């Protein structure tokens, strides 16, 4: 892997980034105590991160295509610049609270663009006690599923299973550099088909966009450049129990929990739930089931009006289920959520010069991002220390004050809430409201 052009969607994320809106996603992993000391774990992290080829790649501009960029190996790569140890303050330090607070501050900082765009931080408390690892990956490097595939390389179980088998290159028949008439015709036909698809997707995005970009005041705000992180852990069996009784999918239940938590959070703030339900952007992978993650971003998204105006938790769940069923019937290339598909059809020059316009468009499309990132089902560890929880984190678009990311692991759903620090300083209360909302759904479904 010496050089590889950025896919159109990856290029879009690269150019969308500003100092106030860093376009990296992340994860905060918490580990139980193990036999090693912080120095041993730090060395292990560096060794395993350096062994992942993708993490040695940086972005450089190219002459062709015009406006494009490519991944190339960083000849000056030094893993010590990317993996650092940060002791947590306090005596004794509270690893859970301290790591969450510090992770929010570290997520504010954009990644250095001249180097491979990723960082890891080992966050430690008392010697021999629990610790945490914060991973930051630029969105141009990976979407959620690809980020999991890259980040999983640090775990004992994944690193141990990695093989160094080399595949023999298949012979390539000689080919003239001059395309024949049939090739020219096929290429032209392909371009016309792509253009037609782009027009269809673009029209769908425009039709679904809102003429009034004000959105929901509690969820949209001018960016302060600050970040606060809060986490919640929900019982996965309780989520499944609600699904079995009420129907739908586990993701429908989690979306309904998010809607109910937002409603209670607004009421506690003394705000009335909005008369127009806020929109959630719900990413959906376009990768083939069971296929290799592959490089870069491959996803679209659904739009979902979160039923905050409905006071009944079960009615909210049924509403979410109906709306998601309609989304799935229409497919991921319809609605404003298909903007990622549209971005994948645009030439590099459009991304380079269109980024300033696209940065302000998010508020016209949605109010909050809610994403579900699957993790490996096997038990994971680092240096013999068991993984206790992994809370994913999504970036904030301009005009957005909150992003919600979820990952099931170890019998729980681990939720990471990333918020603008000034717009949503009480994001901890929203995290508590999510647990309360699930408990209310469990109670109501037991009565039916």
């Amino acid at each position: 892997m010496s050089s590889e052009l950025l896919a159109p969607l990856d290029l879009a994320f690269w150019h969308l980034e500003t100092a106030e809106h860093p376009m990296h996603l992340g994860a905060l992993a918490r580990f139980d105590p193990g036999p090693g000391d912080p120095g041993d774990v730090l060395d292990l992290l560096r060794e395993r991160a350096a062994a992942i080829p993708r993490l040695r790649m940086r972005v450089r501009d190219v002459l062709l295509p015009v406006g494009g960029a490519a991944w190339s190996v960083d000849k000056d790569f030094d893993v010590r610049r990317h993996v650092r140890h940060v002791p947590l303050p306090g005596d004794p330090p509270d690893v859970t609270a301290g790591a969450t607070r510090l992770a929010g501050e570290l997520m504010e900082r954009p990644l250095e663009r001249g180097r491979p765009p990723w960082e890891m931080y080992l966050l430690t408390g008392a010697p021999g006690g629990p610790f945490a690892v914060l991973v930051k990956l630029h969105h141009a490097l990976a979407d959620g599923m690809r980020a999991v595939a890259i980040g999983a390389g640090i775990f004992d179980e994944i690193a141990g299973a990695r093989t160094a088998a080399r595949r023999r290159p298949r012979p390539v028949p000689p080919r003239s550099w001059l395309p024949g008439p049939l090739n020219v015709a096929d290429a032209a036909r392909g371009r016309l088909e792509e253009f037609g698809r782009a027009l269809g997707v673009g029209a769908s995005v425009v039709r679904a966009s809102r003429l009034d970009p004000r959105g929901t005041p509690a969820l949209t705000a001018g960016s302060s450049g600050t970040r606060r992180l809060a986490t919640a852990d929900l019982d996965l069996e309780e989520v499944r129990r609600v699904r079995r009784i009420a129907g739908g999918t586990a993701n429908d239940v989690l979306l309904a929990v998010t809607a109910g938590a937002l409603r209670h959070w607004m009421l506690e703030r003394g705000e009335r739930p909005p008369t127009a339900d806020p929109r959630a952007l719900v990413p959906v992978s376009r990768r083939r089931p069971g296929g290799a993650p592959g490089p870069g971003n491959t996803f679209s998204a659904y739009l979902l009006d979160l039923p905050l105006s409905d006071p009944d938790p079960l009615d909210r769940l049924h509403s979410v289920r109906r709306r998601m069923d309609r989304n799935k019937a229409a497919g991921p290339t319809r609605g404003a959520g298909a903007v990622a598909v549209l971005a994948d059809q645009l030439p590099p020059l459009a991304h380079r010069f269109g980024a300033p316009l696209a940065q302000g468009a998010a508020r016209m499309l949605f109010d909050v991002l809610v994403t579900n990132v699957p993790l490996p089902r096997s038990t994971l560890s680092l240096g013999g220390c068991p993984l206790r929880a992994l809370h994913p984190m999504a970036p904030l678009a301009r005009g957005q004050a909150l992003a919600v990311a979820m990952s099931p692991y170890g019998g729980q759903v681990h939720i990471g809430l990333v918020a603008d620090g000034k717009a949503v300083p009480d994001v901890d209360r929203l995290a508590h409201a999510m647990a309360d909302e699930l408990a209310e759904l469990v109670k109501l479904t037991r009565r039916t």
Side-chain angles (χ1 to χ4, degrees):
M1 186 189 297
S2 57
S3 183
E4 171 194 320
L5 286 175
L6 268 73
L9 188 52
D10 303 343
L11 195 63
F13 285 123
W14 189 250
H15 290 310
L16 281 171
E17 182 171 67
T18 65
E20 294 77 20
H21 297 89
M23 293 304 297
H24 52 255
L25 41 81
L28 181 63
R30 292 190 286 113
F31 295 87
D32 284 339
D37 62 32
D40 294 336
V41 176
L42 183 65
D43 291 341
L44 187 61
L45 276 175
R46 287 173 172 169
E47 175 188 344
R48 289 180 177 172
I52 300 173
R54 198 76 188 172
L55 297 185
R56 291 176 171 266
M57 308 292 283
R58 69 178 183 90
V59 177
R60 62 176 179 84
D61 292 335
V62 295
L63 294 176
L64 294 174
V66 178
W71 293 106
S72 63
V73 175
D74 183 4
K75 297 179 180 179
D76 298 320
F77 176 77
D78 184 349
V79 72
R80 293 172 297 179
R81 295 175 178 174
H82 298 266
V83 183
R84 304 180 180 93
H85 176 210
V86 181
L88 295 170
D91 187 21
D94 183 338
V95 172
T96 299
T100 302
R101 182 168 54 254
L102 182 56
E105 297 173 5
L106 293 171
M107 288 296 288
E108 295 177 6
R109 306 176 187 177
L111 296 162
E112 188 171 336
R113 293 173 77 87
R115 297 175 180 169
W118 65 275
E119 291 175 346
M120 290 185 192
Y121 293 89
L122 173 63
L123 311 176
T124 60
F131 62 92
V133 174
L134 172 67
V135 181
K136 293 169 56 177
L137 296 172
H138 200 284
H139 215 330
L141 184 65
D143 57 15
M145 291 185 66
R146 179 64 182 170
V148 170
I150 293 174
I154 70 170
F155 294 112
D156 300 338
E157 294 74 16
I158 309 300
R162 190 185 294 128
T163 61
R166 297 181 180 178
R167 296 181 179 178
R168 293 182 180 179
R170 295 181 179 179
V172 179
R175 182 173 53 127
S176 171
W177 62 274
L178 289 174
L182 291 178
N183 292 336
V184 172
D186 289 342
R189 189 180 303 110
R191 290 292 183 184
L192 288 174
E193 290 175 354
E194 289 178 3
F195 183 68
R197 285 194 297 269
L199 285 177
V201 173
S204 178
V205 170
V206 171
R207 286 194 301 269
S209 300
R210 298 176 298 192
L211 297 178
D212 182 359
R214 289 177 296 178
T216 303
L219 300 177
T220 56
S223 175
S224 67
T226 61
R227 295 291 181 270
R228 283 183 64 88
L229 172 67
T231 62
D233 299 302
L234 306 181
D235 189 307
L236 182 56
E237 184 53 39
E238 289 188 346
V239 172
R240 291 169 174 166
R241 185 181 299 117
V242 173
R243 177 195 62 79
R244 286 193 296 267
I245 296 174
T249 67
N251 199 48
D252 292 342
V253 176
L254 293 171
L255 289 167
V257 166
T258 303
L262 286 169
R263 175 183 170 85
H264 291 304
W265 171 67
M266 290 181 186
L267 291 173
E268 287 180 0
R269 281 178 139 209
E271 302 176 10
R272 291 183 178 180
T275 52
D277 290 333
R279 274 184 173 180
L281 188 75
V282 184
V284 54
S285 175
R286 293 192 292 129
R287 301 186 190 277
R288 293 180 179 179
N297 290 269
T298 307
F299 71 93
S300 182
Y302 293 134
L303 282 177
L304 174 69
D305 291 335
L306 296 172
L308 270 65
S309 55
D310 195 325
D312 184 88
L314 281 178
D315 287 346
R316 286 195 294 268
L317 175 55
H318 295 319
S319 178
V320 164
R321 179 185 175 185
R322 289 193 301 271
R323 295 173 185 182
M324 285 299 290
D325 285 345
R326 286 197 296 268
N327 275 328
K328 294 169 187 175
T333 59
R334 292 291 179 265
V339 68
V341 180
L342 177 62
D344 219 17
Q345 306 288 331
L346 298 178
L349 202 60
H351 290 300
R352 185 176 289 271
F353 292 105
L357 296 175
Q359 286 167 0
R363 189 177 294 185
M364 298 180 64
L365 302 178
F366 64 98
D367 300 298
V368 59
L369 173 71
V370 184
T371 183
N372 194 324
V373 183
L375 294 178
R377 295 184 179 181
S378 58
T379 301
L380 301 173
S381 61
L382 175 62
C385 304
L387 175 67
R388 172 58 59 88
L390 192 148
H391 296 95
M393 290 171 278
L396 294 181
R398 175 177 292 182
Q400 310 297 311
L402 177 69
V404 182
M406 313 176 185
S407 285
Y409 174 78
Q412 292 186 308
V413 180
H414 303 292
I415 301 174
L417 299 97
V418 177
D420 183 280
K422 290 190 177 179
V424 190
D426 55 346
V427 67
D428 291 339
R429 295 168 63 183
L430 178 56
H432 290 301
M434 298 194 79
D436 294 341
E437 179 67 10
L438 177 59
E440 183 66 17
L441 276 172
V442 170
K443 183 173 64 176
L444 290 174
T445 51
R446 282 174 177 168
R447 295 176 182 173
T448 58

